[in-house]
Amino acid sequence: METLLLKGKPVSDSIRLSLEPRVQALIETGIVPKLAAIIVGDDPASKVYVRNKARAFRKLNCESQTYQLNSKSSEKDVLTVIDRLNNDPSVHGILVQLPLPNHLDSKAILHRVSPNKDVDGFHPENLGLLLEGNPNFIPCTPHGVLEILRHYDIPVSGRHAVIVGRSNIVGKPMFALLAQKFEMGNATVTICHTRTKDLASFTKQGDIIIAAAGSANMITGDMIKEGADIIDVGINRVDDDSEKGYILVGDVNTKSVMGIANSVTPVPGGVGPMTITMLLVNTVTSAEKCVELVAGW
Ligand code: GUN
């Protein structure tokens, strides 16, 4: 079987293109969609993500401002910045880059972001609305996965989707989306995690596998069913002899699934390019809601 590589870039490009007229229409009403990203500390990967976000926003004529806080900042310092941004009408989206330093209570911080500006979709009100089937903001990575499935016409309805990983960022919202009664859902969904016994016995049943465990190369060809569609959400650094000293690999051992899977997303270049695109979608949508609010007055 020839295995199709599900590249994220064409999907991302077509979604970004569809955003251009929406941004233009907003600018004509005097509104520039704006994201505020808060980053606490010096995690190098987080800094790269935030820089890439800023570049993507600029390219689409949207604004993004980064609030870089010291790694020793207190919870109160972070909450003060969030409160200010919640009350700033020029800001449509607020993102707190994760992971936060260990001394901070991530839940308390994420709960403080106004649900109306929570473009990451991490606030419990937005997670609740997602579970209910009435989403406000859909978390960006799972949303990006759905858009890849949609773009490449991978059927979902009635199929068995096996998710490996139960994080609040990917695994749990992915479950809520794939099990939902709507055109990209209606799957039978299994969630596996670190305490799952005999993981392979579950992944072998998956028509769709969503690998989001954060463990390099953990899903191998002998763990999948012939013809499965595999979405690799993992981005793991593995040391090697290259100039950088590491390479990026996914949670799926891509080489070993070639010829067995129907399709697989590459790492890098699969789900990765989608996350920032879905953040753009959520921020533009949030700005449009402001216009609707003003027009309704
Ligand atoms: N860290 C890793 N992924 C994400 C994400 O989607 N949003 C935020 N805020 N932080 C992250």
Side-chain angles (χ1 to χ4, degrees), residues 31-104:
I31 291 181
V32 181
K34 181 171 174 183
L35 173 78
I38 300 171
I39 173 164
V40 186
D42 303 309
D43 177 43
S46 290
K47 283 191 158 175
V48 173
Y49 290 144
V50 169
R51 214 181 308 133
N52 289 344
K53 280 169 193 160
R55 191 183 312 141
F57 273 71
R58 253 197 322 276
K59 241 178 137 177
L60 201 69
N61 295 324
C62 296
E63 270 187 57
S64 86
Q65 193 160 1
T66 303
Y67 293 79
Q68 171 73 59
L69 301 179
N70 186 295
S71 63
K72 300 215 165 53
S73 301
S74 66
E75 187 174 311
K76 190 159 167 279
D77 295 334
V78 183
L79 295 180
T80 303
V81 175
I82 293 175
D83 286 344
R84 209 169 72 220
L85 296 169
N86 280 341
N87 292 316
D88 180 343
S90 75
V91 172
H92 307 101
I94 301 172
L95 173 147
V96 181
Q97 186 64 38
L98 301 176
L100 286 164
N102 285 336
H103 69 279
L104 294 174

Side-chain angles (χ1 to χ4, degrees), residues 13 61 100 102 132 138 165 223 242 280 294:
D13 284 349
N61 295 324
L100 286 164
N102 285 336
E132 195 187 46
I138 301 174
M223 294 169 70
S242 70
L280 283 162
V294 172

Side-chain angles (χ1 to χ4, degrees), residues 61-213:
N61 295 324
C62 296
E63 270 187 57
S64 86
Q65 193 160 1
T66 303
Y67 293 79
Q68 171 73 59
L69 301 179
N70 186 295
S71 63
K72 300 215 165 53
S73 301
S74 66
E75 187 174 311
K76 190 159 167 279
D77 295 334
V78 183
L79 295 180
T80 303
V81 175
I82 293 175
D83 286 344
R84 209 169 72 220
L85 296 169
N86 280 341
N87 292 316
D88 180 343
S90 75
V91 172
H92 307 101
I94 301 172
L95 173 147
V96 181
Q97 186 64 38
L98 301 176
L100 286 164
N102 285 336
H103 69 279
L104 294 174
D105 179 354
S106 299
K107 269 192 201 142
I109 289 170
L110 294 178
H111 291 196
R112 190 70 156 242
V113 175
S114 162
N116 294 324
K117 298 190 179 187
D118 170 39
V119 284
D120 253 333
F122 294 164
H123 190 283
E125 184 176 317
N126 286 327
L127 288 170
L129 287 168
L130 179 67
L131 263 185
E132 195 187 46
N134 180 30
N136 183 27
F137 293 114
I138 301 174
C140 301
T141 301
H143 197 181
V145 169
L146 280 199
E147 292 304 328
I148 288 180
L149 294 170
R150 191 200 304 275
H151 181 94
Y152 289 101
D153 283 327
I154 307 283
V156 177
S157 180
R159 296 179 88 204
H160 185 188
V162 176
I163 300 170
V164 185
R166 57 178 156 186
S167 69
N168 291 332
I169 296 184
V170 183
K172 288 185 208 167
M174 199 75 248
F175 159 77
L177 287 163
L178 291 171
Q180 203 62 241
K181 206 173 193 176
F182 83 125
E183 95 278 11
M184 288 308 297
N186 293 314
T188 302
V189 188
T190 299
I191 288 211
C192 300
H193 45 73
T194 40
R195 299 289 175 94
T196 297
K197 290 186 182 145
D198 192 5
L199 176 65
S201 70
F202 293 96
T203 53
K204 272 183 199 158
Q205 294 178 49
D207 300 311
I208 298 173
I209 295 177
I210 313 283

